[in-house]
Amino acid sequence: MSELMRDSEVTEALDHRHWRVVLGRIHGTFRTGSFTRGLELTQQVAAVAEQMNHHPDVDLRYGSVHLSCVSHDVGGLTARDVALARAVSAVVDELGVEAAPTASQALEIAIDALDIPAVLPFWRAVLGYVDEPAPAEGALPALADPAGRGAAVWFQQMDEPRPQRNRIHLDVSVPHDVAEERVAAALAAGGHLVSDTRAPAFWVLADGEGNEACVCTWQAREG
């Protein structure tokens, strides 16, 4: 139950009415319509999670509940997460709650740097962030909000100065089945395509002044 699963394996195992894999987590958004109904859903999810001894992160708002889960002890998705998602799906169906699976997204900020060890301590201090735990071998350094709310910040190695190009860009991770729609909307809103050579892993877009953002999915990253 602690063996890491590929994003594609998890995606195939999930109930697509409720869940999407985004940035290494299972995400689900549920339209409850009121705080009271959202609390009811949250309480039932909590009861199921306690029985399974595996717990999601919960964001309870006035009209919706957002759930996400990952196996923190191994730093990725496992069969435990899939089992919890299936159990929560049963609760959602029993309560008749509307799901919005493609509403999920996750934001990262990428900083291009020539000397990552020199600049990373500044960003750690100014943001009040901590180092991401147990990065994968060869992974680039990253910082995380210890409260789990703010966007992650990661550092991309530069080979030479690029004075005519921005050095901070946003990575917007979305469900794999809405990425092309998001890209099209950004282009229609005045943006332009910088590169799609790595799509569907990510598309590099820019606004009219050249400030960049990447629309990212889990696809084309495995192996």
Side-chain angles (χ1 to χ4, degrees):
M1 295 289 281
S2 296
E3 183 178 347
L4 289 174
M5 297 177 64
R6 292 175 176 267
D7 289 348
S8 55
E9 295 173 323
V10 176
T11 297
E12 286 299 315
L14 293 174
D15 188 331
H16 289 193
R17 298 174 304 145
H18 300 152
W19 307 101
R20 292 293 186 275
V21 176
V22 180
L23 199 61
R25 282 176 168 258
I26 297 174
H27 290 265
T29 300
F30 303 95
R31 309 292 192 193
T32 54
S34 72
F35 186 84
T36 301
R37 189 158 172 76
L39 184 59
E40 179 185 11
L41 172 60
T42 300
Q43 289 173 330
Q44 293 206 25
V45 169
V48 167
E50 280 297 307
Q51 291 175 1
M52 302 179 70
N53 194 29
H54 192 56
H55 305 90
D57 290 328
V58 180
D59 182 6
L60 171 61
R61 302 297 176 102
Y62 172 77
S64 66
V65 173
H66 183 84
L67 304 173
S68 70
C69 55
V70 67
S71 295
H72 295 283
D73 57 332
V74 294
L77 294 172
T78 68
R80 287 175 285 162
D81 302 299
V82 173
L84 178 60
R86 288 173 175 170
V88 172
S89 286
V91 171
V92 169
D93 286 341
E94 182 179 351
L95 292 177
V97 175
E98 176 190 358
T102 59
S104 301
Q105 70 175 33
L107 179 65
E108 292 183 292
I109 299 171
I111 299 176
D112 298 342
L114 288 169
D115 188 348
I116 293 175
V119 301
L120 187 148
F122 165 81
W123 290 101
R124 184 195 294 122
V126 76
L127 295 170
Y129 274 22
V130 297
D131 294 328
E132 278 201 343
E137 184 178 352
L140 293 167
L143 300 172
D145 180 358
R149 291 191 295 266
V153 176
W154 66 280
F155 296 83
Q156 180 168 264
Q157 184 65 56
M158 295 174 60
D159 297 324
E160 58 185 17
R162 293 195 296 266
Q164 301 304 316
R165 178 184 168 197
N166 67 306
R167 292 173 58 181
I168 297 178
H169 68 270
L170 303 184
D171 285 348
V172 185
S173 293
V174 300
H176 65 281
D177 49 345
V178 301
E180 292 190 26
E181 178 183 349
R182 182 68 63 90
V183 169
L187 297 179
H192 66 271
L193 179 67
V194 176
S195 174
D196 61 359
T197 58
R198 291 290 306 279
F202 60 87
W203 290 256
V204 183
L205 310 175
D207 67 13
E209 296 185 359
N211 301 301
E212 294 179 2
C214 295
V215 175
C216 311
T217 78
W218 61 260
Q219 292 183 315
R221 296 175 184 268
E222 298 176 332

